[in-house]
Amino acid sequence: MKQGGADLFDRKILEVLQQDGRISNQQLADTVGLSPAACWRRVRALEEKGVIAGYAALLDPEALGQGLSVFVLVSLQRHNIDSTEEFEQQVLTYPEVLQCFAVTGNADFVLRVVVPDMGSYDRFLNEKIFTLKGIAQVHSNFGLREIKNTHRLPLS
């Protein structure tokens, strides 16, 4: 019963790790019904294959004074490899940008930006985005409230 290269035990392991990445191997093994050694081997194999890309603590932006979420639609003047690559390389250096997607539709990129307040966002635009070559348009959509934010992939 394989789906995407993962069997039933692998999917169980991944489900549990998505919920609690700090679970001990013993607890994980007990939960999925494997011996600790077999569970450890499977987790290592999933890590080595890149299925498990890493482990991280999920932080509360509001608690850290980063409560303003902005979805920024960026359109470039030209659509060639050089201008696109230059934009992408610069965006990678901006800590305020949590996610960047190349998209189809009315914009070329959508950025998810997190900053403390409107003044910080204004500085981010003026000092970073507007200084990039080849920007044609920037549209900002401000998050009013977060409805869903998960990192769990559907595995079943």
Side-chain angles (χ1 to χ4, degrees):
M1 184 171 176
K2 289 197 174 209
Q3 176 183 349
D7 68 12
L8 182 60
F9 284 114
D10 287 349
R11 286 199 311 274
K12 283 183 180 180
I13 288 169
L14 294 170
E15 268 304 329
V16 173
L17 287 175
Q18 284 191 112
Q19 293 172 30
D20 182 2
R22 294 181 56 172
I23 192 170
S24 72
N25 184 62
Q26 180 66 55
Q27 289 173 305
L28 179 59
D30 291 344
T31 303
V32 301
L34 289 170
S35 72
C39 185
W40 182 83
R41 282 192 300 273
R42 283 177 175 265
V43 170
R44 291 288 298 154
L46 290 165
E47 291 169 347
E48 288 170 5
K49 288 184 213 167
V51 175
I52 297 174
Y55 301 90
L58 302 177
L59 306 179
D60 180 349
E62 298 252 348
L64 294 167
Q66 300 288 322
L68 185 62
S69 286
V70 189
F71 300 91
V72 186
L73 285 73
V74 178
S75 298
L76 301 180
Q77 291 172 345
R78 293 189 182 90
H79 297 95
N80 60 43
I81 291 173
D82 291 339
S83 61
T84 301
E85 193 172 290
E86 185 177 332
F87 176 83
E88 290 173 5
Q89 291 304 310
Q90 276 305 130
V91 166
L92 290 173
T93 69
Y94 300 158
E96 302 90 342
V97 177
L98 300 186
Q99 294 174 299
C100 175
F101 293 91
V103 297
T104 61
N106 295 334
D108 299 310
F109 295 93
V110 175
L111 312 178
R112 179 173 162 237
V113 174
V114 177
V115 291
D117 51 39
M118 193 64 75
S120 299
Y121 181 63
D122 184 49
R123 281 188 300 284
F124 169 77
L125 284 177
N126 286 310
E127 295 172 8
K128 295 183 177 177
I129 298 298
F130 293 156
T131 63
L132 297 174
K133 294 177 189 168
I135 301 294
Q137 282 188 322
V138 175
H139 292 279
S140 303
N141 295 294
F142 296 90
L144 299 177
R145 59 191 166 96
E146 187 174 275
I147 309 302
K148 182 176 181 179
N149 182 0
T150 185
H151 295 277
R152 295 181 191 170
L153 294 175
L155 298 173
S156 49

